[in-house]
Amino acid sequence: MPKEIDRVFKHAIVRIPGRNFADGLTTADFGVPQYEKVLQQHARYCESLRACGLALTTLPADLKHPDSTFVEDTAVLTQNAAILCRPGAPSREGEVAAIRPELKRFFASLPAIEAPGTLDGGDICEAEDHFFLGLSLRTNEEGVRQLAAHLAKLGYTSSVVDVRSMTSILHLKSGIAYLGDNTLVVMEEMADNPLFRDYKLMRVPAEESYGANCVRVNDRVLVAEGFPQLTAELKGHGFDPLVLDMSEYRKMDGGLSCLSLRF
Ligand code: CIR
């Protein structure tokens, strides 16, 4: 029985990875991504979003920005507004201007994070009317302050989760996902945060922590391949996992949520 959906997604924006994808930023030690596989995994990801009922806007590769396939980092989307980010890595700054016209087609209001604020979309986890804002090595206090103010104007509450000392993750959403039904998937290292105490928690053991970056898309939950405990637990809680090979994206510190902007 599929779990009730709190937000139905109809569209997603994705960007084809460029042939210089491997020149992007990474701290991972899993080797160099193979471009053929990068494209295959991206194609399968896009097919899966379509299978979940989404219409895709597919942007061409942007060779000026090797990390630009990770479109999630460029904007925070709410029901009625898109807030433009200001990525913390200088090599990624230009990605926002490149995506702005696409968002403009769908959202009338496009407020933006301004300097000296920095903010990557991967640090922002929406849980219905509340947003968790990750303070990370990419997203600074000023970025979080500006986003909280934008969200408050739009009628959302927010709270800050400091992940700066968690060296195993790049962004907050590398370690948590909100699945609807008051349920949070959370990596063990973060699970005791008092901010999460009113949620049903699915704790992800350390050896499966990459899997915590899963994504609820309508009736399905996209989850990375190779995390059997998490996949079984999702099924046990009544979710319907759609398992995808993410090996090449993991090599560049990327995960499932980063590859699309969903709305
Ligand atoms: C970066 O370091 O910025 C990219 N190689 C990976 C970004 C992943 N994005 C995300 O988790 N939202």
Side-chain angles (χ1 to χ4, degrees), residues 67-76 83-88 92 95-96 99 119-124 138-139 170-171 173 253-255 257-261:
D67 278 315
S68 57
T69 194
F70 299 115
V71 285
E72 176 185 64
D73 292 320
T74 61
V76 174
I83 299 150
L84 297 171
C85 296
R86 188 165 176 274
R92 301 200 60 191
E95 292 178 30
V96 176
I99 207 129
L119 189 125
D120 282 13
D123 275 317
I124 310 307
R138 296 284 178 89
T139 295
L170 177 64
H171 290 125
K173 265 193 301 195
D253 287 342
S257 70
C258 339
L259 289 180
S260 58
L261 281 164

Side-chain angles (χ1 to χ4, degrees), residues 163-227:
V163 299
R164 288 175 294 188
S165 63
M166 295 185 189
T167 50
S168 68
I169 56 170
L170 177 64
H171 290 125
L172 173 64
K173 265 193 301 195
S174 317
I176 65 169
Y178 181 70
L179 300 185
D181 200 36
N182 205 43
T183 304
L184 272 178
V185 172
V186 54
M187 65 192 274
E188 193 56 54
E189 196 181 345
M190 254 193 255
D192 292 325
N193 189 319
L195 289 172
F196 304 148
R197 75 178 155 228
D198 293 332
Y199 292 86
K200 285 182 251 171
L201 292 190
M202 289 173 57
R203 301 169 86 107
V204 183
E207 67 276 18
E208 293 206 358
S209 66
Y210 178 79
N213 180 257
C214 51
V215 190
R216 174 77 187 269
V217 186
N218 299 343
D219 290 337
R220 309 295 301 270
V221 176
L222 309 189
V223 60
E225 188 175 276
F227 304 102

Side-chain angles (χ1 to χ4, degrees), residues 20-236:
N20 59 351
F21 174 70
D23 296 340
L25 302 168
T26 190
T27 58
D29 198 12
F30 297 113
V32 178
Q34 294 172 35
Y35 189 50
E36 274 312 304
K37 270 177 105 177
V38 170
L39 289 177
Q40 279 163 16
Q41 290 178 2
H42 197 264
R44 172 96 175 84
Y45 178 84
C46 292
E47 267 167 40
S48 305
L49 292 180
R50 288 195 190 94
C52 293
L54 275 60
L56 297 199
T57 297
T58 304
L59 305 177
D62 171 1
L63 296 179
K64 288 204 290 287
H65 301 105
D67 278 315
S68 57
T69 194
F70 299 115
V71 285
E72 176 185 64
D73 292 320
T74 61
V76 174
L77 305 185
T78 70
Q79 205 80 265
N80 299 312
I83 299 150
L84 297 171
C85 296
R86 188 165 176 274
S91 65
R92 301 200 60 191
E93 250 176 67
E95 292 178 30
V96 176
I99 207 129
R100 191 179 189 284
E102 301 305 324
L103 291 168
K104 188 84 194 141
R105 293 172 48 218
F106 297 100
F107 295 92
S109 158
L110 290 176
I113 303 299
E114 310 281 355
T118 63
L119 189 125
D120 282 13
D123 275 317
I124 310 307
C125 179
E126 180 185 359
E128 298 182 33
D129 293 341
H130 188 75
F131 282 71
F132 294 106
L133 315 182
L135 196 52
S136 73
L137 299 181
R138 296 284 178 89
T139 295
N140 66 16
E141 292 187 18
E142 176 59 16
V144 154
R145 191 195 64 71
Q146 290 181 27
L147 182 62
H150 288 305
L151 290 171
K153 272 192 222 149
L154 294 162
Y156 299 98
T157 56
S158 61
S159 51
V160 177
V161 184
D162 189 344
V163 299
R164 288 175 294 188
S165 63
M166 295 185 189
T167 50
S168 68
I169 56 170
L170 177 64
H171 290 125
L172 173 64
K173 265 193 301 195
S174 317
I176 65 169
Y178 181 70
L179 300 185
D181 200 36
N182 205 43
T183 304
L184 272 178
V185 172
V186 54
M187 65 192 274
E188 193 56 54
E189 196 181 345
M190 254 193 255
D192 292 325
N193 189 319
L195 289 172
F196 304 148
R197 75 178 155 228
D198 293 332
Y199 292 86
K200 285 182 251 171
L201 292 190
M202 289 173 57
R203 301 169 86 107
V204 183
E207 67 276 18
E208 293 206 358
S209 66
Y210 178 79
N213 180 257
C214 51
V215 190
R216 174 77 187 269
V217 186
N218 299 343
D219 290 337
R220 309 295 301 270
V221 176
L222 309 189
V223 60
E225 188 175 276
F227 304 102
Q229 295 179 62
L230 173 60
T231 306
E233 206 180 341
L234 286 166
K235 286 184 189 158

